[in-house]
Amino acid sequence: MGCDGGTIPRRDELVRVKQKPEQKDKDAEREFRWLHCTLTQQRLQEPIVMCGMGRLYSKQSLIERLLEKEKMPEMSVHVKSLKDIKTLQLTPNPAFTEEDKTEGLLDTRHAPYICKLIGLEMSGKFRFVALWTCGCVVSERALKQIKGNSASTCPLCQTPYSVEDIVVLNGNEEDLELMKVKMEMRAAKRKSSKKDKKEAKKLEIKTETDEPCASTTVEEAKPETSTKVKGVTSHKRLGAVNAMQDPELKRLKNDFSVAKDPKASDVYKSLFTSHKTEKEQERAHWVTYNPFYN
């Protein structure tokens, strides 16, 4: 019947236990997500883009899928146009070689990209973030250190950004929920900016239509100013005529005669040779009179 010959069977040999499902290698899965396109599952090719959820794509393959209008997988349903993706500005790793592209131990291979600030490799062991405004990629550790010491500007290109512009690359489930909220915030901000631009254009159109009306009012005001100027000039002319009729000014003329002055008295007029008594007398004037000769 078996079990003879002094053999001692174990429990696992007599009782069949349900086998446990195979567990995924977490390290291999993490590396696959950082090196392969989410859409085609092929190795990432530059230019590399990200979606609002922080997943990585090859830009060429994503554009081809959008042009063909094929149905997107569940992980990329939110990508409907080029507005939903952002091109990443990555820093190449100088230690990365062609040998690192081949299959091998994860500990001995280098990642193709690094953080430009502190040199951490973008292999999935460290958390990396990207800014939606400029597309620059840095490690989360470096961004936290710099953000505490300076304003909300990109440490690489000095582009300003807000909280909703920080996207965690290949994050966990909690990060994905947060990324959804940030996507909604950016969409609302985009709509409000469009409304502001439309209102500004309307104001410009109104100002342009109001400018011709203002010019007509200026032209209407010109005749009034001209009439005012004419009145001033006519008043000046009258003043000049009255000034010329002043007797004091008449005395300064060469043809002025005291005998014709209406304000002078007869006694005063008789002192001058222009008086009629002096013209009618026969003897010489008292100034030139000489009794020895006259």
Side-chain angles (χ1 to χ4, degrees), residues 50-57 78 167-171 176 179:
M50 69 169 179
C51 64
M53 302 297 290
R55 298 188 178 97
L56 303 179
Y57 303 86
H78 56 280
V167 181
V168 180
L169 299 178
N170 290 327
L176 293 177
M179 294 305 105

Side-chain angles (χ1 to χ4, degrees), residues 11 22 34 50 52 101 111 178 190 200 239 258 274 276 279:
R11 184 177 182 278
E22 294 182 1
W34 284 91
M50 69 169 179
K101 294 182 180 180
L178 181 60
R190 197 183 306 137
V258 179
S274 61
K276 60 183 180 177
K279 290 181 180 180

